[in-house]
Each structure stands twice: as structure tokens, then as C-alpha cells.
Amino acid sequence: MLFAATGAAALATAAPAQAALYSFSITGSQTIKFVLDSSPTPPIVSSGDYFVLSGVNGTINNVAATFDLGFGSPTYFFNFGLLNNIVGTSFVSTGAAMYTGSEASPRFKLGTFTLTPNDPGPAYTMTISAIPEPASWGMLIAGFGAIGAMVRRRRNVTVRVAYSG
């Protein structure tokens, strides 16, 4: 009974679905981090080639920074570019495309990607991972709470045997 009530309460308070947020972490000679919507609406698009996201906030080696990011199609000469006065304007890499769909309506892929600079320099690795929504955490915690309550309420049953003899 408690489980059913907890489940109903959790469903009633669940937030409507929103676009997921993805965490981007680039590691190499520097560590670069930022968060983007899983399906952004890019302000700059070159159909069939690339899209650009301007003014993205993040960090470089744990110091706040703002980036302009470019993501290239599988047929374009780069798969990722990052412009920032700390990193420099020549951080452009080749490799697999990091999104599906069109450049006007991309959806990022989850996983780890190798970033090979066009100019000689160290390779980087980019990891794209999903950030759980608060509603998901709430449902998980409510579920564990319901299981804990059921275990705690479990009663010992004593069986009496009638003896006739």
C-alpha cells in the first residue's frame, strides 16, 4: 500500500520532459569543460558542412571561459573547432562527426571522441555524457525510500500449531 502511494505521488510530481543537458569534457594538455543542450538550435549554420554555437560558458583548467564552438559534418574538413583567446584560434580537429541530424537541427552523440589537431600538436579526447535531470534523481530517491520503508515494515509472523493429543 505504501509502495503504491509513493509511486503515485512520484508520478504526480514528475516534471515534464525537457531537452537533456550533455556534459562535454576535453582532456589533453589542458582540461576544457562545458555543458550544452543535447539538441541545440545553432545561430550559425552552413547546411551540409557545419554549425557554430557562440558564447558558450565553460572552464579551461578550472578557470571560467567563454567559447565559440564549431561542429563539422562527416564530409566537412573538421569535426570540432574551439575559439577562445586562452586556447587560441587554431584549435581545430579532424575525426568522426559528434552529432546526427542536420546542421540546423543537430543531436549530439554520447561517447568519447579523439580530437586530432589540424596543426601539429597534442591530441585531445572529448567525452560527451548525459546529465541526469532532477526529476530522474527524485524518482530514484523515492524508489529507494519506498523499498526501505517496505523492508522496515516487514513483520515477523509466528505460526502456532495446535496440538491435540
Side-chain angles (χ1 to χ4, degrees):
M1 185 68 143
L2 177 64
F3 181 71
T6 304
L11 287 174
T13 60
Q18 300 174 358
L21 292 177
Y22 284 178
S23 171
F24 291 71
S25 179
I26 301 171
T27 54
S29 62
Q30 300 180 63
T31 301
I32 302 167
K33 296 183 180 185
F34 51 92
V35 173
L36 295 174
D37 187 80
S38 61
S39 297
T41 303
I44 301 170
V45 173
S46 177
S47 293
D49 291 333
Y50 64 88
F51 66 92
V52 175
L53 301 173
S54 303
V56 175
N57 293 316
T59 61
I60 299 174
N61 297 329
N62 294 318
V63 175
T66 302
F67 315 106
D68 290 338
L69 305 172
F71 294 88
S73 72
T75 58
Y76 202 57
F77 79 94
F78 76 88
N79 71 333
F80 177 73
L82 183 144
L83 304 176
N84 174 275
N85 62 355
I86 296 173
V87 175
T89 57
S90 63
F91 187 79
V92 176
S93 71
T94 59
M98 298 176 199
Y99 65 94
T100 60
S102 70
E103 287 68 40
S105 183
R107 175 144 184 98
F108 289 113
K109 297 177 185 178
L110 297 175
T112 301
F113 302 86
T114 300
L115 304 179
T116 305
N118 283 354
D119 295 335
Y124 285 79
T125 300
M126 177 186 286
T127 301
I128 305 173
S129 56
I131 299 173
E133 295 179 15
S136 298
W137 283 109
M139 293 284 285
L140 179 68
I141 291 168
F144 282 134
I147 291 169
M150 287 175 52
V151 169
R152 188 166 187 204
R153 281 192 52 121
R154 187 177 282 172
R155 297 181 187 177
N156 291 333
V157 177
T158 304
V159 178
R160 295 183 186 205
V161 178
Y163 178 75
S164 60

